[in-house]
Amino acid sequence: MNSSDGMLIVNVSAIQAVAIAAVTYYFGAWLRKKVPLLEKYSVPSPVVGGMLVALVLSCLEYFRLMQVNFDTSLQTLLMLAFFTTIGLSASLKIVTEGGKLLVSFLFVITILCVLQNFLGMGLAEMMGLDFHYGLLAGSVSMMGGLGTSAAFGPYFEQTYGVQGGTAVAITAATFGMVVALLIGAPFAEWLIRKYKVLTPKEVDNPEPELHIPEDLETAVVEGEKEPTYTPQLLKAGTIVAICMGLGAVLSQYMGQYITLPAYIGSMIVAAIVRNVGDFSGKYTVEGKGMNAIAEISLVLFVTMAINGLKLHELLNLALPLMIILAGQTILMVVFAWVMFFIFGKTYDAVMLCAGGIGFSMGSTANGLANMQAIAEKYGSSPRAWLIISLVGAFLIDLINALLVTWMGAW
């Protein structure tokens, strides 16, 4: 702790940063229960608590009262762990269960990724901003959600000198999550009524309450879980650590030819490890232990990233960011409408639109929440539920990370 020009400067160590993040998360969870609106729109606890901490610290720094500097070394470690679990979820066997419809949907959503980025970059340059801001308010935050935003924000700041990149990305991701829940189910309802879509007459097997399938649980969601047993957790931790170690070697090698985020190597190694196990049958990498590592690393990593936001850096970007996000919302609605026709104007198509709006503007959990709302009224769509879970939970994250890295280097 020291002072500079009358302003108190506080340096927070890596371990202290993790402790503050844990307290912040539980404060956000408590506050979310007290404010029904936050619960209604599924605003994650890391956002609720973290944004308040970031707001207070940003105000103190803006008025030159106190500056808090967080050591982010453990934040980086948690980020690597989370994205490694994403790679370990990338099972080709599971993908084949979705059939041609899954492949078609993944292709269409990849096009949406590109369009989100072109729209963001175009609007940013029209307003005289660095086009990287448009990328951060494009598929980084819209398709990637909080996890990808918290990873690419610092990466863009360090690699391209984008001031306030993390704040832009996380703010955009939070906006997208709320808007996705506001427009997803109503838009699906409108499609059903306008085009007289045939729906199931009875709900014989409705989808369960909002939960991603157990082996794909990688969103910032809350809910009661069965206890994680030590052997499963230790096995999962060992696999993740090995993938991170080998991934670091791969990233260093690839870094000689192309600049990539640190976690790309780990994701690639993890995907290889998962599929070798699937096809050889010699070992498995899924289960409660892997889910626990994914959830804990994501919650702490995202909370730490939000705690350290410099929100005052958004003051000059507020209006341009609002314009870009308004454009992204319009693009999402129009694209969802087109998707409805592409997939045959069926009930499955309606559900893919509802789910697609959710995860294409924030998180898989929001997509499933939209689908759940429609299913309760009109009936279930098991195929659409599976496809949204598979694509939203890990497939599009792999594609989006590579796409954003490539476009960011233009």
Side-chain angles (χ1 to χ4, degrees):
M1 184 182 297
N2 50 56
S3 60
S4 175
D5 297 329
M7 180 169 63
L8 180 66
I9 298 178
V10 178
N11 296 311
V12 178
S13 70
I15 295 176
Q16 290 170 332
V18 173
I20 292 172
V23 173
T24 300
Y25 168 76
Y26 281 109
F27 171 69
W30 173 81
L31 190 60
R32 193 178 138 171
K33 292 179 180 179
K34 298 295 182 180
V35 182
L37 197 63
L38 298 175
E39 190 77 36
K40 179 180 179 181
Y41 293 114
S42 302
V43 180
S45 298
V47 174
V48 177
M51 279 296 187
L52 288 176
V53 171
L55 180 61
V56 171
L57 296 182
S58 294
C59 287
L60 291 174
E61 184 172 340
Y62 180 76
F63 291 108
R64 302 196 60 76
L65 298 175
M66 182 174 69
Q67 178 181 328
V68 178
N69 300 316
F70 291 95
D71 185 330
T72 61
S73 54
L74 288 180
Q75 178 182 325
T76 302
L77 178 66
L78 290 165
M79 176 192 70
L80 288 173
F82 167 65
F83 281 100
T84 299
T85 63
I86 291 290
L88 288 168
S89 300
S91 170
L92 294 177
K93 280 192 172 182
I94 296 179
V95 171
T96 58
E97 293 179 15
K100 292 181 179 179
L101 183 58
L102 183 145
V103 176
S104 300
F105 184 73
L106 180 61
F107 177 74
V108 169
I109 289 299
T110 301
I111 292 175
L112 176 59
C113 264
V114 176
L115 292 178
Q116 285 178 335
N117 288 334
F118 277 130
L119 176 64
M121 290 189 298
L123 290 175
E125 291 200 331
M126 284 175 60
M127 292 181 285
L129 298 176
D130 185 332
F131 78 88
H132 290 99
Y133 286 112
L135 269 178
L136 291 170
S139 72
V140 170
S141 53
M142 297 291 100
M143 196 71 68
L146 289 171
T148 304
S149 297
F152 270 99
Y155 173 71
F156 273 34
E157 290 174 355
Q158 297 167 9
T159 307
Y160 306 115
V162 180
Q163 184 179 10
T166 306
V168 168
I170 289 181
T171 301
T174 304
F175 168 89
M177 293 178 70
V178 174
V179 170
L181 287 170
L182 288 173
I183 67 175
F187 180 75
E189 178 94 24
W190 176 78
L191 288 176
I192 291 171
R193 293 184 177 182
K194 178 174 177 60
Y195 296 101
K196 297 180 174 58
V197 177
L198 183 64
T199 62
K201 293 182 180 180
E202 297 180 352
V203 186
D204 296 323
N205 295 301
E207 285 85 3
E209 292 300 319
L210 178 58
H211 289 297
I212 300 174
E214 190 169 318
D215 59 338
L216 303 176
E217 186 72 77
T218 54
V220 189
V221 294
E222 298 171 30
E224 295 183 359
K225 302 281 183 184
E226 293 182 8
T228 299
Y229 298 102
T230 300
Q232 293 175 317
L233 188 60
L234 183 59
K235 174 188 173 184
T238 301
I239 294 173
V240 170
I242 291 172
C243 291
M244 288 170 61
L246 294 175
V249 176
L250 179 59
S251 290
Q252 185 175 11
Y253 173 76
M254 295 172 65
Q256 300 176 26
Y257 307 98
I258 182 174
T259 302
L260 293 170
Y263 63 80
I264 292 294
S266 298
M267 286 181 75
I268 294 173
V269 171
I272 294 172
V273 168
R274 170 60 188 261
N275 286 284
V276 169
D278 282 356
F279 287 100
S280 68
K282 298 296 184 181
Y283 59 88
T284 59
V285 298
E286 59 189 11
K288 295 184 180 70
M290 193 63 67
N291 292 340
I293 291 176
E295 293 174 7
I296 293 171
S297 60
L298 179 59
V299 162
L300 291 176
F301 151 56
V302 170
T303 307
M304 291 173 72
I306 296 176
N307 282 349
L309 289 181
K310 308 291 185 181
L311 294 179
H312 56 280
E313 295 177 350
L314 282 177
L315 293 177
N316 295 329
L317 295 170
L319 181 59
L321 183 58
M322 288 174 60
I323 293 173
I324 294 174
L325 293 177
Q328 296 290 4
T329 303
I330 295 170
L331 170 64
M332 187 68 253
V333 172
V334 172
F335 195 86
W337 197 359
V338 173
M339 279 201 306
F340 174 68
F341 288 96
I342 290 175
F343 295 112
K345 298 190 290 186
T346 62
Y347 186 63
D348 279 348
V350 171
M351 292 296 259
L352 288 175
C353 289
I357 288 174
F359 83 72
S360 297
M361 292 191 73
S363 75
T364 306
N366 285 1
L368 298 180
N370 288 341
M371 297 174 73
Q372 181 70 30
I374 297 299
E376 288 173 354
K377 185 173 183 179
Y378 294 105
S380 62
S381 173
R383 278 210 308 170
W385 187 270
L386 173 66
I387 289 170
I388 293 297
S389 298
L390 291 173
V391 174
F394 60 84
L395 290 177
I396 199 61
D397 282 328
L398 290 168
I399 294 172
N400 189 33
L402 294 172
L403 184 63
V404 169
T405 301
W406 172 59
M407 298 183 80
W410 284 2

